[in-house]
Amino acid sequence: MKKKNSIVFVLMLVLGVIIFWWSFRDVSWEQFAHSMSNANWGWLALAVLAMIIYLVLEAVVVKIFVDDIHEKISWRDALRVPLVEQLGNGITPFAAGGQPMQMVALAQSGIDVGRAGSILTMKFIIYQGMIVVNFLIALVIGYQYLTETIHSWTVVLFLGFLVHLFVIIALLMVMYWPKATDWLVQTFTKMVRPISEKKANQWQNVLEEKVANFHQESDMMRKNYMPVLKAMAVTFVQLMAFYLIPYFILLGLGAHHVDLLLVMALNVLIVMVISLFPIPGGAGGAEIGFSVLFAQFLPSHAQLVIAMILWRLITYYFGMFAGIFAFNIPTTSKQLQKSK
């Protein structure tokens, strides 16, 4: 990991410690010890397992798109992709670093950059699309709860929905409107040309080749729709696993009569809230969102704080540490394993 990324990673850990400390300021160690001693570790283990399933299913999506009659990616290399994505998402504002980190991981596995870009764009569109679909479902399920408890947050939630919808439309335009992509390449090279004519010409040739490959792969995906349908189905199940994590945590800390669908719906809404916070990992917004939405399910403030911290450790910090580990693991080979 580069020095700059390492610094950001350390800063996010420090910020996390400060947020956890601030959340714990009204919780005594006796309350903490009592809550943990009475916790059901089986349910908490299921929360961790749900996060692992979430990451593995994303690797399945990678293999669905990469594997064809000409080449395949090993499971080891496919699993690296979602793990380094977690690291990239965790250390950049608006999770902007996730896509470049995945691109690096795929390139290290021998995939052409143009094809990798097309695969990641389609994968991202499907993921965002499933989030939008789940948000609409969650809104129907949790609308009454929202209006009764946190009416003031509805504007934030709808703004998050619009952001996700805009991203999907913009990416579809890039994939299937070549003129728009060509315009971006020409604009970029024009900005570089006054600095270095030679570099501008070199980069223009490389970018035009990669963009042509990108659109070729995108067109092939559009015609071969079966991988897309498979990826949509797997992504839907993947998100369901992620949305189950708070449910398992609540049960693990002794919550009773928890409505499964409502908890999953509220977790969908938290994802929308996090996407609007410019701080890496949605730090601050994620913790506040969880505490506000799930305060009604636990009998004490101490249990709510513990639930929030466990949720962040599992869904955010676990992924970042796993990403560091995966980033330092070499790929199985410099080139993709060619199928015979």
Side-chain angles (χ1 to χ4, degrees):
M1 205 165 46
K2 293 182 179 180
K3 183 178 180 181
K4 179 181 178 181
N5 291 337
S6 299
I7 293 173
V8 175
F9 176 76
V10 172
L11 289 175
M12 292 313 301
L13 290 181
V14 172
L15 179 59
V17 171
I18 293 173
I19 292 173
F20 290 169
W21 170 80
W22 177 258
S23 301
F24 258 116
R25 71 191 187 282
D26 296 326
V27 178
S28 68
W29 284 109
E30 289 77 11
Q31 291 174 313
F32 172 77
H34 177 74
S35 297
M36 296 308 295
S37 63
N38 292 317
N40 187 320
W41 292 94
W43 286 117
L44 297 180
L46 281 177
V48 177
L49 179 61
M51 185 64 192
I52 294 173
I53 291 173
Y54 168 84
L55 296 171
V56 171
L57 288 178
E58 187 160 349
V60 172
V61 173
V62 172
K63 280 192 70 68
I64 287 172
F65 280 127
V66 174
D67 289 0
D68 58 22
I69 60 173
H70 301 295
E71 57 188 8
K72 295 184 182 297
I73 187 171
S74 69
W75 276 108
R76 176 176 168 178
D77 290 351
L79 284 167
R80 287 183 77 244
V81 176
L83 294 180
V84 299
E85 177 194 11
Q86 291 293 307
L87 176 61
N89 287 342
I91 62 175
T92 55
F94 300 111
Q99 291 294 100
M101 292 289 275
Q102 290 181 87
M103 183 78 77
V104 170
L106 288 175
Q108 289 174 341
S109 298
I111 300 176
D112 177 79
V113 174
R115 184 170 188 236
S118 179
I119 289 170
L120 293 177
T121 303
M122 180 58 75
K123 175 174 165 287
F124 187 69
I125 288 172
I126 291 172
Y127 186 86
Q128 294 294 316
M130 289 298 102
I131 286 180
V132 169
V133 170
N134 288 326
F135 172 78
L136 295 175
I137 297 172
L139 198 60
V140 173
I141 296 172
Y143 182 77
Q144 183 176 354
Y145 181 85
L146 288 175
T147 55
E148 291 176 355
T149 57
I150 49 170
H151 179 71
S152 59
W153 279 58
T154 53
V155 175
V156 177
L157 294 172
F158 277 108
L159 184 58
F161 167 75
L162 292 176
V163 169
H164 283 274
L165 187 62
F166 173 79
V167 168
I168 293 171
I169 294 172
L171 289 175
L172 285 172
M173 289 178 65
V174 169
M175 287 191 75
Y176 298 115
W177 190 16
K179 289 184 178 180
T181 316
D182 292 338
W183 178 83
L184 290 173
V185 172
Q186 295 296 329
T187 302
F188 174 74
T189 53
K190 283 181 181 179
M191 293 172 62
V192 176
R193 203 172 298 281
I195 302 172
S196 173
E197 181 79 20
K198 182 180 178 180
K199 285 288 185 183
N201 292 331
Q202 289 176 347
W203 287 355
Q204 182 171 356
N205 293 333
V206 171
L207 288 172
E208 286 178 349
E209 179 184 351
K210 298 302 181 184
V211 166
N213 191 14
F214 173 84
H215 286 299
Q216 182 181 1
E217 290 291 334
S218 300
D219 191 54
M220 289 176 62
M221 286 185 184
R222 180 175 60 84
K223 294 176 180 177
N224 185 17
Y225 58 86
M226 281 306 297
V228 175
L229 293 178
K230 290 179 182 178
M232 289 174 66
V234 174
T235 302
F236 183 81
V237 177
Q238 175 197 4
L239 287 171
M240 289 301 103
F242 184 81
Y243 297 146
L244 276 169
I245 294 173
Y247 177 74
F248 293 140
I249 292 174
L250 292 174
L251 292 180
L253 293 177
H256 300 290
H257 309 295
V258 180
D259 187 324
L260 171 62
L261 291 179
L262 179 59
V263 170
M264 293 179 70
L266 294 178
N267 199 14
V268 175
L269 301 180
I270 290 177
V271 173
M272 286 294 174
V273 172
I274 293 175
S275 66
L276 295 178
F277 279 74
I279 303 174
E287 291 82 0
I288 293 173
F290 186 94
S291 299
V292 170
L293 290 175
F294 293 106
Q296 306 294 323
F297 295 93
L298 292 166
S300 70
H301 176 68
Q303 288 176 309
L304 177 63
V305 171
I306 294 169
M308 180 270 291
I309 290 175
L310 289 173
W311 174 71
R312 282 298 273 174
L313 289 174
I314 294 170
T315 61
Y316 179 57
Y317 294 100
F318 173 77
M320 283 209 300
F321 279 104
I324 292 176
F325 176 75
F327 196 76
N328 289 285
I329 294 178
T331 56
T332 53
S333 63
K334 293 293 184 182
Q335 300 294 326
L336 281 173
Q337 300 169 350
K338 301 293 181 178
S339 60
K340 298 182 180 179

